[in-house]
Amino acid sequence: MFEKIAPNKVKRVSEITKEQFLKNHKDTGIPVILPTLMEDWPAKEKWDVDYLIETLGDEVVPVYSSKPAVGKSHQHAAAREMPLRDYLNLLKNGENDLRMFFYNILNNAPQMIKDFSYPDIGLKFFKKLPVLFVGGRGAKVQMHYDIDLANLILCHFGGVKKVLLIPPEQTQFMYKVPFSFSALYDVDFLNPDFEKYPALKYVKGYEAELNHGDALFIPSGYWHYIVYEDIGFSMTLRAFPTKFSQRLSLLKNIFVTRTVEGLMRKTRGQAWNDRNERKAVEITNRNIP
């Protein structure tokens, strides 16, 4: 699916020790699919869309549009709120723009906690943030990296999900929008236009295909773009970065970059958005060798 900029397939490793995971993946920043990590979890057998409807169907949840915010709207503002049952039924009927993300299980669905455990693979998980991400058939998640620079274990349930992963060392070629953690919305990573966005020719990433029960390790700072080939959802387990430089970047992202972005959107609105989109192209094209 991502052949033009992802010549590498993420390896699937069924058996791995803590020492092997740390040496070959966490310390080297190389993603890996762990298809047996959830083997003993009740969640692997229980969790599907119908289970979510039965367990949480009456809960009112925020859902978000895949389209970028315009004007003075906050870039992470919810499009609407509705009972989870209604949202999932929309997905069953073909809805693929509205997505649910960063839904905290600990706060909103504590009954699900008993269905999984934190794997002993050498990561120090932040256990207050097991979060769900949900999307419909054909849904796409804009290319981005996580503000907290966490090491992620993405545990997938439901239909096939394709993930494009780009190492953080290639950020200079990603048409990153200033004061955000996303690439330019108009860049099509499924069918990249190398004439319009020539820096993409220097991007070399990984493609992962996730099936129900697969767990994907996404190293700290990795860019990721996601396509749902069918209705599905994932839970991420997060381990904050351990390097001092990454922790400094985390604090800057949260307390400086995000604050400036919010204030400028409120005061300048669409002019601020347009300025940053122009800068994304200008700055990235200057990085072309």
Side-chain angles (χ1 to χ4, degrees):
M1 176 175 284
F2 302 112
E3 293 85 357
K4 292 184 178 180
I5 53 178
N8 308 298
K9 300 291 184 182
V10 177
K11 292 183 179 180
R12 303 175 68 88
V13 180
S14 296
E15 296 184 8
I16 192 168
T17 65
K18 179 195 301 185
E19 291 72 24
Q20 289 170 333
F21 172 79
L22 292 174
K23 178 181 177 181
N24 298 330
H25 301 286
K26 195 270 183 181
D27 293 344
T28 57
I30 297 176
V32 64
I33 297 172
L34 304 171
T36 59
L37 182 140
M38 295 190 278
E39 198 67 38
D40 297 328
W41 291 7
K44 184 175 181 181
E45 300 298 325
K46 294 169 58 176
W47 287 13
D48 57 20
V49 171
D50 290 334
Y51 174 79
L52 291 183
I53 291 176
E54 177 186 342
T55 307
L56 303 170
D58 294 331
E59 295 293 323
V60 176
V61 300
V63 293
Y64 301 81
S65 173
S66 299
K67 300 178 179 63
V70 296
K72 295 184 178 182
S73 301
H74 192 282
Q75 62 177 319
H76 297 307
R80 55 197 288 199
E81 293 187 348
M82 65 178 70
L84 181 59
R85 175 181 289 104
D86 294 350
Y87 168 62
L88 294 174
N89 283 329
L90 283 178
L91 298 188
K92 288 183 175 183
N93 290 324
E95 167 63 47
N96 65 9
D97 174 58
L98 296 176
R99 292 178 296 105
M100 194 173 104
F101 76 90
F102 226 81
Y103 185 75
N104 192 316
I105 294 175
L106 187 65
N107 293 341
N108 299 292
Q111 62 271 46
M112 297 176 71
I113 297 293
K114 65 181 183 299
D115 291 340
F116 68 90
S117 58
Y118 289 88
D120 182 19
I121 55 175
L123 296 176
K124 295 181 179 180
F125 292 103
F126 184 65
K127 297 184 178 181
K128 293 184 178 181
L129 276 181
V131 292
L132 289 182
F133 299 81
V134 186
R137 185 178 299 111
K140 299 178 178 65
V141 181
Q142 184 179 1
M143 178 67 80
H144 69 286
Y145 64 94
D146 286 14
I147 186 173
D148 62 3
L149 301 177
N151 289 289
L152 307 175
I153 300 293
L154 182 71
C155 306
H156 185 61
F157 305 88
V160 173
K161 172 187 280 190
K162 297 286 185 70
V163 185
L164 170 61
L165 297 167
I166 307 296
E169 294 80 13
Q170 298 181 29
T171 295
Q172 61 183 323
F173 304 127
M174 291 296 293
Y175 292 93
K176 177 185 180 298
V177 178
F179 297 97
S180 84
F181 309 95
S182 303
L184 194 66
Y185 180 79
D186 287 342
V187 175
D188 183 355
F189 286 92
L190 280 171
N191 188 28
D193 185 337
F194 293 130
E195 291 189 7
K196 187 175 182 180
Y197 301 111
L200 294 179
K201 290 185 290 187
Y202 298 92
V203 173
K204 295 292 181 281
Y206 298 84
E207 179 176 343
E209 179 176 311
L210 302 182
N211 299 290
H212 179 90
D214 283 341
L216 170 65
F217 169 60
I218 303 178
S220 173
Y222 257 71
W223 292 82
H224 39 289
Y225 177 90
I226 294 170
V227 177
Y228 289 82
E229 294 201 338
D230 204 345
I231 300 172
F233 60 95
S234 299
M235 174 182 67
T236 59
L237 307 180
R238 315 178 76 81
F240 289 146
T242 54
K243 293 181 180 179
F244 182 71
S245 60
Q246 291 175 323
R247 292 188 173 186
L248 284 180
S249 295
L250 183 160
L251 294 174
K252 179 184 176 184
N253 290 345
I254 294 175
F255 295 109
V256 179
T257 305
R258 189 170 64 173
T259 300
V260 171
E261 161 68 10
L263 289 173
M264 295 302 289
R265 275 184 181 264
K266 287 182 180 179
T267 56
R268 294 192 58 195
Q270 191 58 39
W272 171 251
N273 300 337
D274 294 342
R275 175 260 187 197
N276 286 338
E277 290 180 0
R278 289 194 303 270
K279 288 290 185 182
V281 175
E282 293 170 4
I283 293 171
T284 303
N285 284 346
R286 286 202 299 266
N287 292 329
I288 296 174

